[in-house]
Amino acid sequence: MLNIAERYSFIGKDIPRRDADSKVRGLLEFSTDISVPGMYYGRIVYSPHPFADIEEIDTREAESMGAVVITPKDVPSKPFNIRLVSVNEVTFKDWNILTFSPRYLGDPVAAVAAPSEELAQKAAESIKFKFRKVYDPILDAFESMGSQSAPIREKILKGEEEIPVRRNVGAELNYLEGDLEKGKREADVVIERAFKTNRRYHFQLEPKTSLCVPEHDGRFSIYTTTQTIHNTRILIGQVFGIPLSKISVKRIPIGGSFGSSIQTNLVTLISVALCMKAKKPVKISLTREEDMYDHADYEMHLKLRVGARRSGELTFGELVNIMDIGAHQVQAYPLLGTALGWFVSLYKWKNIKYEGKAVYTNKTPSCAFRGYGAPQISWAVESIMDELAEELGMDPLDLKLKNYVGLGDVFWGQGPTVRSVIRSDGVKELVEKGKQLIGWDRRKPPSMKQGRYRTGIGFGRSFHTSGAGGPISGEVIDYTGATLKLNEDGTLDYITALQDHGGGTLEAHAKIIAEELGVPPHLINIVPSDTSVTPYDVCTHASRGTYVGGEAAQIVKSKVFEAATRILPKAVNPEAFKLVYDETLEQAVVYVEGMKDMRITLSEIARTSWQRNWGTIAATVSYRATSAPPTFTVFFVEVEVDTYTGNVKPKRVVAGADLGTVINPKLAEGQLHGGFVMGWSMAYLEDTIYDRRTGELLNKGMVVDYKIPTSQDSPKLEDFKVIFANTYEPTGPYGAKGLGEAALNPVAGAVANAIYNAVGVRFYTLPITPERILEAISGGGKQ
Amino acid sequence: MSSLNRMNTRILPTSFNYYEPRTIDEALKLLSELSPEVRILAGGTDLIVKMKARQVEPKNIINIKRIEGLRYITEEKGKIKIGALATWRDLEKSWQISKKIPALFDAISVMGSVQVRSMATIAGNLCNASPAADSAPPLLVHGAIVKASSIRGTREIPLDKFFLSPGKTILMPDEIVVEIEIPVPPQRSSSAFLKLSRTAMDLAKASAAAYLEVEDGKVVDAKIALGAVAPRPVRSLSAEAELIGKPATEETFSLASRQVVKDISPIDDIRSTASYRKKVSPILVEDALKLAFSRIRGELG
Ligand SMILES: Cc1cc2nc3c(=O)[nH]c(=O)nc-3n(C[C@H](O)[C@H](O)[C@H](O)COP(=O)(O)OP(=O)(O)OC[C@H]3O[C@@H](n4cnc5c(N)ncnc54)[C@H](O)[C@@H]3O)c2cc1C
């Protein structure tokens, strides 16, 4: 069998990204770089208390400075949800653009616009409040559910129906499968542990920005930080009652996201509200500090109970998932389902019980974060599986390989309504190779380690879905679209609403189209687009390695063949044609096998269609994936712990990924490097810590006290090995699957297991800081 | 009350008068006229951040970066002299520092990033008076002297006496630091600095510098200083007393380093905890002593 690079002209080859040069030179414009004449600058005003009811907002001073001011009275008051990915009936709505009832410190209560940002800032600072009531902030999920706690919300909307909120629980999901009691009876070993994850800030490079421009004909143009231009447009339309045909949301390069802009950002809606009142273009760029108050990961309190027979066969798994969601719901309900999905699709527990609750607190609202709960669930599960293996006297690799959900099994990564059967699985191959590379067999138990510096090796595995498609239409909206047109010289314009977060999604699309039509990627224009000219796309999320570009390319190809039958004498059957990229001509040729004169270049077909008035060869498709195949990943990590200071260093990493056909090897490797560093950071460094008294972030949003690793904190390149499984995903484009999130999911588990292997102490709270390690080692106990 | 509506690191909505003197005399005159409502601006890597965060709102700013003749590193009569405008990067490239003041060179290599080091001055680091200032412990153990000028003249302040409390030095509001002077250490001496932080670009959770002078296997002089474990960078006289006159052995270092807890008073903050800082301070000191000693032995051949 030919390897990928030999089989294909473009797929599997490293081709420089088209935006690399302009990014490096600072020429690429992000939303915050865009200015238009006459533009006002907006600033958002937040409640000085995290949990309060406001009686009155005094804006007189701001107005006397010449600022345009909006308060909750100036904006629509019907609650909505900023994320539109779930179908309406299961969308929980508790958001307003501005509120008289702030529930966390970043809850916007007013906004101002002025000709300069400095003036806007001064005006914002001059706004005064009179409070009806100020409550003590509730910063703990369990406290929040207690009978003593004030209700953070009393009523919210579910779809169009008003529902009460009891004990600050915003959403619930319970699940039972099999016979739990039977599973418990069959278990020879049972382990129960409670885990608490951290509440990380996404720390995407670009703080959120929005520019709203009123056009002369009554339309609004919007330039904003988003993973989904269409949902942004729909939400603006719904909230303000503006027809969609009057709103055009532009696709602007985004400076990373990691899930933080899956929803429509509040800053976008505020810029629209200000723009409507000021009748001027208004731009708001969040400061880094505001951005840190804007979004965070979900903090999960996970109680896990699992059982196995002596043979290592699992008999049951029980998970209680209490999520601290902060002050609003973004996708708490779907995540309760997805977290369950990750759990049941990691290992075959057989008998399953799940209890999930999403609890309001007076903290920054949680939203999706790369991995969407899988890094948290995988950390807990991979930790407890290692403990189970130790109890059983088994190698954790054997226990995991024996029980994992793999080839031919049903898997439902993205929650109960998104199920499919696994058709490609490279886990065994990756574990075998990784084991050799890291030297797993030389790994010693912690009891045999001595001295100040102790090394440990840990293993973690996980997976992620490629998208949220499925055979049936569930609770999740998932389809996308694109237009592809053959230009008059044989080059292509590719028009899609899909966003590239920086991972190279659109580059991969261009490659697939290039492969399909024999047009080199650099001759495919990825058209800067907006909602007006693109079919609906739900969102670039859930690692969707979508086939939409390839789908459009296939239609274009059949039209090209039809045109060829009109040009070449005697040709009647379009199906007889083949298309190949000719390296010497540097373009595609259409031909019939074995017939010398039946050969024509693609550019000649394009030119002829134009000259003879045959019209444009183009295709517009709307596409839904019928499955969401899992990309499997494994990480072997070697750490060194300084037992005198608790400092931990990552020494060596073997990262293995089964992503089917590797379309872009360098970019895929980059994802795994980045995934490791982010996972390392989750395991060892990050948390947003709140002042228990004031509800403020202890670091006040300042990056000086929110640390993520630098390159110096990462393993050396020569100590980081990437391996790809040799698999082919039959439902994916050219056999490919997604990678962005799978690259992160197993890391914290692998790191935690490595730390355990080094020092013999298990940690059940993230991050595992040097402080916690030293405390545990000197206390000699578990943490 | 939350600070979110006011503090940030991008927008500076306050106005101030800005001065750019070309000579030190001009600067001193301005300073005496404007003080105390004035701030000196050097690299700005502390000051501008604090202004945007609204921790300070000066009415007047005197940028001293345009003053000629304040950016130098020289050696004269047994003293290394560092001008007030010398940046960390200047020192990083200076062979005098890397060869003769190894603890300071250690500090430079773990301070900020190349970008920050290219803007920031050592004098600014001291005047900012952070308990975690990375240049402080090395300069303390090397017996540095700070020279401060005002229209009233120039005075010499031993660094030991320079720091008062977080953000506060002994400088009068009309004084400018013009030079930092370090005695060239004798033969058979060396020093080292170590820092614990969350990542490679971070302020210290705890730091320590050690200076050792050894003759015939005996410690004849020793200085220990720590950062981020007290309201100001501190010497550990208790540890020093346990070193001087003792044989230069690992056992001596270990016993002496345990004394440092007497001289520190760490707190809990977002970077670390008091109890952690207490535990690692002796470790840092012991490691720094060992490193300094190994450097001496390396030099002796
Ligand atoms: C990203 C980043 C990373 C950093 N990392 C570190 C680190 O690792 N370690 C560390 O110690 N610091 C670090 N810092 C802090 C800072 O860079 C240093 O303290 C730096 O040395 C300050 O020097 P400056 O010239 O920028 O001072 P400025 O900000 O200009 O001034 C600081 C203070 O000193 C006063 N001042 C300056 N010069 C004089 C003078 N000649 N006479 C009298 N007063 C004066 C100013 O009025 C001001 O109060 C970091 C800062 C940033 C932004």
Side-chain angles (χ1 to χ4, degrees):
Chain A
M1 199 162 140
L2 290 175
N3 72 33
I4 295 164
E6 286 162 351
R7 223 178 316 152
Y8 299 124
S9 302
F10 304 105
I11 284 173
K13 305 220 159 91
D14 287 314
I15 295 172
R17 295 183 52 157
R18 62 194 64 208
D19 58 2
D21 183 74
S22 45
K23 268 189 180 161
V24 169
R25 293 197 292 144
L27 299 177
L28 200 74
E29 286 198 324
F30 298 91
S31 299
T32 189
D33 299 316
I34 299 170
S35 292
V36 296
M39 182 177 89
Y40 272 32
Y41 293 84
R43 296 290 297 144
I44 301 170
V45 184
Y46 306 96
S47 163
H49 299 290
F51 188 2
D53 295 325
I54 296 172
E55 173 96 45
E56 219 180 288
I57 301 175
D58 181 351
T59 61
R60 282 169 297 180
E61 199 179 331
E63 274 152 349
S64 72
M65 291 179 190
V68 176
V69 186
I70 53 171
T71 70
K73 289 184 188 148
D74 300 296
V75 294
S77 62
K78 186 183 169 196
F80 53 88
N81 187 317
I82 54 179
R83 171 184 167 277
L84 292 178
V85 178
S86 295
V87 298
N88 190 43
E89 305 88 80
V90 290
T91 299
F92 292 74
K93 304 172 183 176
D94 62 21
W95 289 82
N96 290 105
I97 302 175
L98 301 170
T99 180
F100 279 120
S101 314
R103 292 298 181 257
Y104 70 105
L105 273 177
D107 233 351
V109 293
V112 304
S116 81
E117 197 169 36
E118 286 73 20
L119 182 59
Q121 175 67 24
K122 277 189 198 159
E125 287 176 20
S126 77
I127 286 177
K128 290 175 196 70
F129 306 95
K130 207 165 116 195
F131 291 95
R132 185 175 307 140
K133 191 150 183 180
V134 175
Y135 307 85
D136 288 335
I138 302 169
L139 301 169
D140 176 85
F142 295 94
E143 183 195 327
S144 187
M145 286 189 288
S147 55
Q148 305 294 313
S149 284
I152 292 174
R153 303 198 180 280
E154 290 178 61
K155 284 177 297 206
I156 56 174
L157 289 182
K158 185 183 179 198
E160 302 305 315
E161 175 200 354
E162 195 172 85
I163 57 166
V165 177
R166 291 202 182 83
R167 297 229 160 152
N168 289 330
V169 175
E172 272 183 84
L173 187 82
N174 300 315
Y175 181 81
L176 269 175
E177 186 179 306
D179 182 345
L180 200 75
E181 291 314 312
K182 178 166 159 274
K184 283 180 182 167
R185 281 196 306 274
E186 286 169 1
D188 297 315
V189 177
V190 173
I191 299 190
E192 181 179 332
R193 297 283 182 261
F195 299 83
K196 175 183 174 290
T197 72
N198 33 3
R199 206 166 209 285
R200 295 171 301 148
Y201 164 57
H202 297 64
F203 221 141
Q204 77 290 357
L205 272 176
E206 178 195 357
K208 295 175 179 179
T209 291
S210 178
L211 164 62
C212 177
V213 181
E215 303 291 353
H216 61 87
D217 55 2
R219 290 181 305 116
F220 294 93
S221 296
I222 287 140
Y223 307 76
T224 189
T225 315
T226 185
Q227 294 174 224
T228 165
I229 57 176
H230 278 280
N231 283 352
T232 297
R233 173 165 83 159
I234 294 171
L235 191 68
I236 293 170
Q238 288 181 349
V239 169
F240 293 99
I242 307 172
L244 296 191
S245 56
K246 298 212 176 293
I247 309 165
S248 124
V249 180
K250 316 279 178 188
R251 193 187 70 215
I252 307 297
I254 181 169
S257 179
F258 306 120
S260 61
S261 288
I262 272 185
Q263 63 277 5
T264 300
N265 292 311
L266 216 47
V267 61
T268 311
L269 299 174
I270 296 171
S271 76
V272 175
L274 274 173
C275 169
M276 289 170 80
K277 177 144 182 198
K279 306 205 164 23
K280 300 246 182 222
V282 175
K283 177 162 89 175
I284 313 176
S285 293
L286 296 190
T287 63
R288 177 61 71 185
E289 293 70 29
E290 289 173 286
D291 199 76
M292 216 180 280
Y293 272 99
D294 179 83
H295 51 273
D297 194 6
Y298 288 89
E299 174 183 313
M300 293 182 173
H301 299 259
L302 303 169
K303 210 150 101 197
L304 258 176
R305 185 136 55 124
V306 303
R309 293 181 200 269
R310 276 273 152 236
S311 64
E313 187 197 332
L314 295 173
T315 62
F316 78 94
E318 211 179 329
L319 172 63
V320 181
N321 171 19
I322 307 296
M323 304 196 307
D324 174 345
I325 62 169
H328 286 283
Q329 300 201 39
V330 181
Q331 62 280 81
Y333 173 72
L335 179 56
L336 287 173
T338 311
L340 168 61
W342 307 137
F343 178 61
V344 303
S345 302
L346 270 167
Y347 294 103
K348 293 175 203 157
W349 310 108
K350 296 188 191 68
N351 304 295
I352 297 158
K353 185 177 172 199
Y354 176 74
E355 200 185 310
K357 283 192 172 63
V359 185
Y360 286 117
T361 58
N362 296 116
K363 296 191 204 162
T364 290
S366 300
C367 73
F369 195 139
R370 187 178 187 183
Y372 198 31
Q376 290 97 313
I377 300 288
S378 303
W379 164 59
V381 169
E382 288 299 285
S383 295
I384 210 164
M385 286 296 279
D386 266 38
E387 285 198 69
L388 194 57
E390 195 172 325
E391 277 289 320
L392 293 166
M394 270 178 94
D395 183 332
L397 298 186
D398 295 337
L399 180 69
K400 291 174 186 181
L401 285 181
K402 190 180 171 86
N403 291 289
Y404 83 98
V405 177
L407 196 68
D409 296 326
V410 173
F411 122 107
W412 42 296
Q414 291 275 356
T417 66
V418 188
R419 298 186 189 215
S420 41
V421 175
I422 298 172
R423 296 179 197 281
S424 62
D425 166 9
V427 174
K428 289 204 173 88
E429 179 190 341
L430 293 172
V431 169
E432 268 322 304
K433 279 191 192 153
K435 216 173 137 173
Q436 303 302 324
L437 286 167
I438 201 81
W440 182 262
D441 293 335
R442 295 192 298 276
R443 179 178 181 259
K444 292 190 180 64
S447 57
M448 287 175 68
K449 299 188 180 170
Q450 282 172 354
R452 174 171 175 177
Y453 297 97
R454 297 185 198 169
T455 57
I457 295 177
F459 168 79
R461 61 164 291 275
S462 188
F463 66 93
H464 206 85
T465 61
S466 313
I472 56 159
S473 175
E475 291 181 343
V476 183
I477 297 168
D478 190 280
Y479 68 95
T480 183
T483 296
L484 183 66
K485 65 185 171 68
L486 185 65
N487 295 325
E488 294 65 38
D489 63 350
T491 62
L492 291 163
D493 283 334
Y494 179 55
I495 307 163
T496 176
L498 261 159
Q499 177 66 284
D500 185 340
H501 308 175
T505 307
L506 294 178
E507 209 63 50
H509 284 214
K511 269 190 168 179
I512 289 168
I513 296 166
E515 197 63 52
E516 202 73 45
L517 289 171
V519 177
H522 72 271
L523 295 179
I524 302 172
N525 177 22
I526 298 173
V527 180
S529 63
D530 65 45
T531 45
S532 325
V533 298
T534 50
Y536 179 82
D537 164 69
V538 63
C539 184
T540 306
H541 65 174
S543 310
R544 298 155 80 228
T546 52
Y547 195 34
V548 63
E551 191 80 358
Q554 281 180 357
I555 301 175
V556 166
K557 195 157 145 185
S558 65
K559 292 188 179 175
V560 164
F561 291 164
E562 258 166 49
T565 60
R566 296 171 75 174
I567 300 171
L568 294 171
K570 293 184 285 183
V572 280
N573 296 336
E575 312 84 64
F577 282 109
K578 290 214 157 102
L579 185 151
V580 74
Y581 175 69
D582 185 320
E583 269 175 43
T584 45
L585 293 177
E586 288 182 17
Q587 61 166 310
V589 290
V590 171
Y591 66 100
V592 177
E593 249 172 341
M595 313 218 128
K596 266 224 179 80
D597 54 341
M598 299 292 263
R599 204 175 155 84
I600 182 167
T601 64
L602 181 63
S603 58
E604 191 51 32
I605 294 174
R607 210 185 63 84
T608 309
S609 296
W610 165 49
Q611 288 293 313
R612 297 199 193 156
N613 287 305
W614 293 345
T616 298
I617 295 178
T620 294
V621 295
S622 185
Y623 178 79
R624 174 173 164 84
T626 49
S627 75
T631 293
F632 294 103
T633 40
V634 305
F635 274 83
F636 292 87
V637 179
E638 184 178 52
V639 301
E640 181 187 84
V641 182
D642 178 346
T643 57
Y644 288 9
T645 63
N647 269 4
V648 189
K649 278 192 201 140
K651 301 296 272 188
R652 287 190 304 140
V653 177
V654 177
D658 160 22
L659 64 156
T661 302
V662 185
I663 293 190
N664 232 325
K666 279 255 153 54
L667 289 184
E669 276 184 42
Q671 286 292 318
L672 287 155
H673 280 268
F676 175 76
V677 173
M678 195 171 239
W680 173 262
S681 196
M682 167 182 172
Y684 184 62
L685 276 174
E686 288 180 64
D687 206 358
T688 48
I689 306 167
Y690 284 79
D691 183 321
R692 299 211 61 83
R693 213 169 32 82
T694 63
E696 265 189 295
L697 287 175
L698 265 191
N699 71 352
K700 307 211 188 301
M702 304 275 274
V703 290
V704 64
D705 284 316
Y706 193 89
K707 287 294 164 190
I708 55 172
T710 70
S711 55
Q712 292 177 67
D713 300 297
S714 314
K716 294 198 185 74
L717 277 184
E718 62 267 28
D719 295 325
F720 197 114
K721 293 214 165 51
V722 171
I723 47 178
F724 295 124
N726 189 16
T727 53
Y728 186 92
E729 170 57 41
T731 67
Y734 287 92
K737 304 187 261 190
L739 177 62
E741 295 171 277
L744 163 68
N745 294 347
V747 176
V751 171
N753 287 337
I755 292 175
Y756 172 77
N757 183 242
V759 298
V761 184
R762 279 262 162 220
F763 294 87
Y764 300 101
T765 301
L766 291 182
I768 308 171
T769 59
E771 283 75 7
R772 288 190 171 129
I773 292 173
L774 207 56
E775 184 77 42
I777 297 176
S778 45
K782 294 192 170 186
Q783 266 269 301
Chain B
M1 289 278 268
S2 148
S3 52
L4 183 58
N5 286 326
R6 272 167 60 82
M7 64 179 285
N8 70 83
T9 45
R10 195 183 71 230
I11 308 159
L12 188 51
T14 51
S15 41
F16 47 83
N17 303 311
Y18 175 78
Y19 303 90
E20 230 176 59
R22 298 294 160 140
T23 66
I24 185 75
D25 288 340
E26 207 185 315
L28 294 178
K29 206 165 144 266
L30 266 172
L31 197 55
S32 97
E33 281 162 16
L34 301 171
S35 73
E37 307 265 16
V38 59
R39 282 282 181 149
I40 294 167
L41 173 73
T45 59
D46 277 318
L47 185 62
I48 302 293
V49 180
K50 284 187 182 172
M51 284 170 68
K52 287 181 174 171
R54 310 293 275 285
Q55 289 157 343
V56 295
E57 298 194 339
K59 284 213 174 74
N60 300 288
I61 298 259
I62 302 178
N63 179 1
I64 59 170
K65 273 236 158 155
R66 303 255 183 269
I67 298 176
E68 300 277 333
L70 276 186
R71 186 169 177 177
Y72 57 84
I73 302 156
T74 56
E75 191 177 328
E76 228 177 85
K77 295 186 198 134
K79 311 262 191 253
I80 292 172
K81 298 178 176 217
I82 301 169
L85 289 181
T87 63
W88 287 77
R89 188 77 176 144
D90 295 339
L91 270 74
E92 190 172 2
K93 293 179 181 163
S94 145
W95 67 270
Q96 269 121 334
I97 303 297
S98 58
K99 250 190 114 90
K100 300 183 181 176
I101 321 289
L104 185 56
F105 192 73
D106 289 342
I108 294 166
S109 54
V110 293
M111 188 274 187
S113 58
V114 176
Q115 293 91 326
V116 175
R117 293 200 291 276
S118 302
M119 289 178 77
T121 62
I122 294 278
N125 189 238
L126 295 179
C127 294
N128 187 56
S130 159
D134 280 333
S135 72
L139 289 172
L140 277 169
V141 299
H142 274 278
I145 284 170
V146 176
K147 289 190 188 167
S149 296
S150 68
I151 51 163
R152 288 167 286 119
T154 299
R155 60 171 176 146
E156 298 194 346
I157 310 164
L159 194 58
D160 285 12
K161 303 267 163 358
F162 188 73
F163 304 110
L164 298 180
S165 58
K168 264 203 134 53
T169 67
I170 202 167
L171 288 179
M172 305 298 279
D174 66 344
E175 282 182 311
I176 292 185
V177 168
V178 289
E179 189 179 275
I180 298 155
E181 192 181 277
I182 316 170
V184 174
Q187 294 288 308
R188 297 192 187 79
S189 76
S190 193
S191 66
F193 169 82
L194 292 168
K195 164 178 171 182
L196 283 177
S197 52
R198 293 163 297 188
T199 65
M201 199 174 90
D202 193 9
L203 302 171
K205 286 179 182 179
S207 66
Y211 169 82
L212 271 182
E213 222 178 293
V214 177
E215 245 176 67
D216 302 329
K218 248 201 187 134
V219 179
V220 294
D221 195 7
K223 289 200 189 75
I224 304 292
L226 296 101
V229 291
R232 57 202 168 86
V234 285
R235 288 266 298 275
S236 175
L237 299 178
S238 318
E240 291 173 13
E242 285 295 314
L243 287 162
I244 297 170
K246 302 272 160 62
T249 60
E250 297 215 339
E251 201 191 336
T252 304
F253 300 155
S254 167
L255 285 172
S257 59
R258 280 179 221 164
Q259 302 296 315
V260 300
V261 289
K262 294 181 187 162
D263 302 313
I264 61 176
S265 48
I267 55 162
D268 286 342
D269 64 15
I270 188 166
R271 276 166 221 148
S272 191
T273 62
S275 95
Y276 179 81
R277 287 174 159 130
K278 244 193 192 119
K279 276 184 227 156
V280 296
S281 291
I283 309 284
L284 279 171
V285 169
E286 189 177 342
D287 286 351
L289 281 165
K290 285 187 196 159
L291 182 57
F293 187 51
S294 76
R295 284 173 177 165
I296 294 176
R297 290 204 298 196
E299 229 171 83
L300 293 177

